[in-house]
């Protein structure tokens, strides 16, 4: 076997097999002593499907807002894709990332290039800008929640009798190694993303166009609308998560503050390159729900069902987007 073939195999392993194995391992670790029979009982009569369906509407809204915001970013580059093409490409990108983590960013740029003849390099640059804006949003939300929750956590511990030593026990247990493994995976993801984008840019000679796309946010004409879509994205993500609380009796009593804390922790957890954050997200949500007084088994049911249903929604939207794009192209 030639050296180039071995490098390709290693690259494919790191892109597809490793994230899948990592997610599977974390899920196994998290649910190794779990009673899965209760999941069936909850599905048959312990879950309020009306609230769950209502929460999914916000998941759709978030993707629609993301597609419309993307169209705004492309306008200063003299690229004018149709709104529905942007939205459908977003649908497909999230579904694609379930197969290969983070491949969706490239997929949606390719779809926009195919159907609306948008420069792949420029659209890729706007995706980088989107990620930077979203990272800033998560940072602002996390910082705000941390400041707001400092006294709330103290009150919570006093009223519920939760032992602060549980944090120490958590760090001294095997979970610490789990967190370290996730960090290593994240560093590998960043390394290969930077390496691949740099090499692609050099080979194709598109680095200037990519950079132009990254800076497109400076020339967005309607900044208020851009901010409106950005707020809409993150508000919708939060409401999708929070409204799901009311689908279960054991989580319906948790307030907005608790939901904000779990949402921030979960948003950080999904950065770990596993399919749709499977594993790290479950671990993070279960850990936080337990701290807020929810039983570990109930927390496991919540994480398993909410993540599973939301993932199923991503698959359905991806299929719909992939099916709708050719018909949209015909009507152009």
């Amino acid at each position: 076997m030639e050296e180039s073939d071995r490098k390709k195999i290693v690259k494919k392993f790191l892109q597809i097999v490793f994230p899948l194995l990592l997610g599977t391992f974390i899920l196994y670790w998290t649910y190794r002593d779990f009673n899965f029979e209760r999941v069936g009982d909850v599905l048959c009569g312990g879950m309020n499907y009306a609230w769950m369906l209502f929460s999914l509407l916000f998941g759709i809204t978030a993707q629609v807002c993301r597609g419309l915001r993307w169209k705004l970013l492309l306008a200063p580059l003299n690229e004018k894709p149709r709104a529905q093409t942007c939205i459908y490409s977003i649908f497909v990108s999230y579904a694609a990332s379930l197969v290969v983590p983070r491949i969706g960013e490239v997929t949606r740029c390719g779809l926009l290039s195919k159907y609306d003849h948008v420069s792949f390099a420029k659209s890729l640059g706007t995706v980088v800008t989107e990620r930077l804006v979203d990272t800033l949003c998560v940072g602002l939300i996390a910082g705000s929640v941390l400041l707001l929750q400092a006294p709330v956590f103290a009150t919570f511990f006093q009223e519920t009798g939760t032992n602060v030593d549980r944090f120490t026990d958590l760090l001294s247990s095997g979970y610490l190694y789990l967190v370290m493994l996730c960090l290593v995976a994240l560093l590998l993801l960043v390394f290969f993303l930077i390496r691949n984008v740099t090499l692609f840019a050099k080979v194709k000679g598109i680095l200037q166009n990519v950079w132009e796309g990254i800076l497109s946010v400076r020339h967005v004409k309607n900044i208020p609308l851009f901010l409106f879509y950005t707020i809409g994205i993150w508000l919708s993500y939060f409401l999708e998560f929070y409204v799901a609380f009311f689908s279960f009796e054991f989580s319906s009593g948790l307030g907005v503050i608790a939901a904000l804390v779990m949402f921030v922790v979960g948003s950080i957890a999904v950065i770990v390159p596993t399919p749709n954050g499977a594993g790290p997200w479950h671990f993070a949500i279960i850990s936080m729900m337990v701290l807020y007084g929810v039983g570990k088994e109930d927390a496991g049911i919540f994480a398993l069902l909410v993540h599973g249903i939301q993932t199923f929604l991503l698959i359905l939207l991806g299929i719909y987007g992939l099916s709708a794009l050719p018909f949209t192209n015909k009507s152009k």
Side-chain angles (χ1 to χ4, degrees), residues 215-266:
L215 297 179
S216 63
V217 70
R218 298 186 308 167
H219 306 293
V220 171
K221 293 182 179 180
N222 197 335
I223 293 297
L225 186 59
F226 179 84
L227 294 175
F228 174 78
Y229 287 142
T230 300
I231 294 172
I233 290 169
W234 288 98
L235 182 60
S236 296
Y237 280 148
F238 170 70
L239 290 175
E240 181 184 22
F241 177 71
Y242 175 55
V243 171
F245 278 13
F246 300 100
S247 302
F248 309 94
E249 184 178 350
F250 51 77
S251 59
S252 59
L254 296 173
V256 176
I257 297 297
L260 271 172
V261 173
M262 296 179 203
F263 175 72
V264 168
V265 174

Side-chain angles (χ1 to χ4, degrees), residues 66 69 130-146 230-231 233-235 237-238 260-271:
R66 186 174 290 280
R69 187 182 69 172
E130 276 198 306
R131 289 308 175 204
L132 292 174
V133 171
D134 290 336
T135 300
L136 177 61
C137 290
V138 172
L140 290 174
I141 297 171
S144 301
V145 170
L146 183 61
T230 300
I231 294 172
I233 290 169
W234 288 98
L235 182 60
Y237 280 148
F238 170 70
L260 271 172
V261 173
M262 296 179 203
F263 175 72
V264 168
V265 174
S267 298
I268 296 172
V270 297
I271 298 175

Side-chain angles (χ1 to χ4, degrees), residues 151-164 166-167 291:
V152 174
F153 264 122
T155 303
F156 170 76
F157 291 138
Q158 292 175 0
E159 293 181 352
T160 61
T162 302
N163 190 351
V164 183
R166 295 176 70 178
F167 287 105
L291 289 177

Side-chain angles (χ1 to χ4, degrees), residues 207-220:
L207 187 57
Q208 183 61 40
N209 285 335
V210 172
W211 183 245
E212 185 180 350
I214 293 174
L215 297 179
S216 63
V217 70
R218 298 186 308 167
H219 306 293
V220 171

